[in-house]
Amino acid sequence: MHLWQDGLLALLAAIGLASLLWGAVRGLFFSRPRLRGTGTGAMALLPARGDGAHLEEQVRCLGALGRETGCFSRILLADCGLSDEGRQRAAILAADPRVRLCSREDIPDILSRDSAL
C-alpha cells in the first residue's frame, strides 16, 4: 500500500522539479521581446458600439499590450454606433492622453495626419 503512495509522491516531486528547472531555462534563454520606444506612430483602432459595456476592459487590455510590447502608443476609439451612455463611457476613457475618441468618418483624416508626423 505504501509503495504506490511513495511512487506517486516521487512522481509529483519529479514533475515539480522539472517545471522549476524549465522555468529557469526559459527565463534565461527565451527572454521576452525587448520593449520598443513609445514614440512609434502606430495606433490601435478600436470600433466602439452600443453602450460600450466592455469598452473599458478592451482599452485597458490594449493599453497593457501597447506598454508591454511597444507596438503602438495610442488607442483610437471609433464611434461606430455608440449610445448616449456609450459616448459618456468613451469620453471618460478619452480623458487619458493615449486614448482618442472620433467618429467613423474622421478616421481617414486622423490616420493620414498622424502618418505624416
Side-chain angles (χ1 to χ4, degrees):
M1 179 91 170
H2 291 287
L3 184 62
W4 72 271
Q5 290 174 342
D6 291 340
L8 181 63
L9 185 62
L11 175 71
L12 291 174
I15 290 172
L17 182 62
S19 60
L20 284 175
L21 288 175
W22 175 247
V25 166
R26 198 173 94 200
L28 289 174
F29 296 112
F30 304 107
S31 64
R32 299 175 76 175
R34 293 191 178 150
L35 294 176
R36 293 185 228 152
T38 58
T40 62
M43 75 175 58
L45 179 63
L46 182 63
R49 296 180 180 94
D51 63 351
H54 301 287
L55 201 56
E56 182 179 359
E57 178 183 358
Q58 292 170 342
V59 167
R60 284 187 185 190
C61 288
L62 282 173
L65 181 66
R67 283 188 303 275
E68 185 176 313
T69 62
C71 57
F72 55 87
S73 58
R74 293 171 288 169
I75 300 170
L76 184 63
L77 295 177
D79 185 351
C80 296
L82 282 171
S83 65
D84 291 334
E85 181 182 350
R87 275 191 203 87
Q88 289 175 349
R89 287 181 182 177
I92 291 170
L93 292 171
D96 184 347
R98 295 170 295 180
V99 179
R100 183 172 177 185
L101 177 63
C102 71
S103 67
R104 189 173 18 178
E105 293 79 21
D106 295 337
I107 293 173
D109 294 334
I110 292 170
L111 293 179
S112 65
R113 182 181 35 207
D114 285 346
S115 66
L117 295 177

